[in-house]
Amino acid sequence: MTRVYDAMLTLTLDGAQLTVDPTLTLLQIAKQHHIDIPSLCGDNDRAPKTPCDLCVVEIAGVGIRRACETHPSEGMVVTTQSQALRDHRQQALGRILSDHYADCEAPCQRACPAGVDIQSYLHHIAMGDHEAATAVIKQTLPMPLSIGRVCPAFCEAECRRSLVDEPLAIRQLKRHAADLDLAGMTPYHPPKKPAKGKRVAIIGSGPGGSPAVTTWAMRGSTWISSRRCPRPVAGCVTASPSTGCPRRSSIRRSH
């Protein structure tokens, strides 16, 4: 017990002199003494740490440092609140929110069977960036041109805009982005991971098989497709309502 006490050191935190454990970070020490330092990156325990840059403090003679990465030293003087720190945190928060378009997971996204990041691609469409919108859609939905015509649009039933007037036409906007992508000179194709040397057999090339082909190809696997119909995605043509999925839209690869 004596050895543990001898290892302790003294610092000044917001004017209060404290005896602290040097193995802890300044952020942990502040929490122990009920001193609030804004922090987000400490909540991430399932992935590599990405500094939020909010938990900064001022150290006398050193400058601004991240509290989550800094350990105390004997005689250290630390300030957790100042105008310089507030300005720094405001800039950091602006960077965090610069690509954050709405809820972390909106009701419309939870209602989507494919889990498409709806609020993100709607943001890109609103900004006039249809290529970025298509890139977001194709992360989880390989055939937006077809799905944008036959999807039952569960997302629209959960759209928060209905609390104001009526839900957004999410399905039609997805179709609109996919139509523009198809009409462009170079339709967007998601990047592929390096080849893994593995082969996947896929039975059928209809509404289920064709997205599977695209997904496995993106993951770096080669594939073999066995189908009864002479053309791929023919099931979308034969199984979809006559007014829903035009033949030309269905036959085009990866749409």
Side-chain angles (χ1 to χ4, degrees):
M1 186 69 177
T2 303
R3 289 195 299 270
V4 174
Y5 181 80
D6 289 342
M8 304 292 271
L9 51 80
T10 303
L11 62 74
T12 302
L13 184 61
D14 285 346
Q17 194 171 46
L18 306 174
T19 301
V20 301
D21 183 348
T23 63
L24 301 178
T25 65
L26 293 180
L27 181 61
Q28 292 170 325
I29 292 169
K31 288 181 178 179
Q32 277 189 346
H33 292 83
H34 308 290
I35 296 174
D36 184 40
I37 299 177
S39 175
L40 291 177
C41 58
D43 295 332
N44 177 19
D45 58 0
R46 298 184 181 181
K49 179 179 179 294
T50 301
C52 64
D53 221 24
L54 294 173
C55 65
V56 290
V57 296
E58 283 184 318
I59 302 175
V62 177
I64 294 178
R65 294 291 185 271
R66 294 174 184 149
C68 67
E69 299 175 349
T70 306
H71 291 269
S73 60
E74 182 63 38
M76 179 181 283
V77 178
V78 181
T79 301
T80 65
Q81 300 295 333
S82 70
Q83 187 59 49
L85 290 173
R86 282 190 288 273
D87 292 343
H88 187 104
R89 289 164 182 162
Q90 187 173 19
Q91 292 175 4
L93 188 60
R95 290 192 296 270
I96 293 171
L97 296 177
S98 62
D99 62 350
H100 194 83
Y101 312 115
D103 307 81
C104 291
E105 188 172 292
C108 54
Q109 182 176 353
R110 293 197 297 269
C112 176
V116 179
D117 187 358
I118 295 169
Q119 65 270 31
S120 293
Y121 80 72
L122 291 181
H123 167 82
H124 289 307
I125 292 174
M127 295 296 102
D129 193 345
H130 296 88
E131 182 176 350
T134 303
V136 170
I137 296 169
K138 287 189 176 182
Q139 287 177 357
T140 48
L141 191 68
M143 299 173 63
L145 197 72
S146 299
I147 301 301
R149 288 168 164 80
V150 301
C151 173
F154 299 122
C155 54
E156 295 181 14
E158 299 297 327
C159 179
R160 283 183 174 165
R161 182 68 194 183
S162 61
L163 299 174
V164 179
D165 40 40
E166 59 184 6
L168 295 175
I170 298 172
R171 176 178 57 195
Q172 297 300 326
L173 288 168
K174 176 169 62 214
R175 170 180 172 175
H176 172 66
D179 284 343
L180 291 178
D181 178 63
L182 181 63
M185 296 296 292
T186 54
Y188 175 81
H189 294 285
K192 295 182 179 180
K193 292 183 179 180
K196 296 180 178 179
K198 296 182 179 180
R199 304 177 72 186
V200 179
I202 298 172
I203 308 302
S205 60
S210 291
V213 166
T214 303
T215 300
W216 281 108
M218 289 168 56
R219 293 179 179 177
S221 299
T222 56
W223 49 272
I224 302 172
S225 178
S226 174
R227 60 180 185 265
R228 181 177 63 181
C229 298
R231 288 183 173 180
V233 296
C236 184
V237 178
T238 58
S240 301
S242 59
T243 57
C245 191
R247 180 177 298 271
R248 174 178 174 274
S249 299
S250 302
I251 297 302
R252 290 300 295 264
R253 181 178 179 271
S254 298
H255 287 77

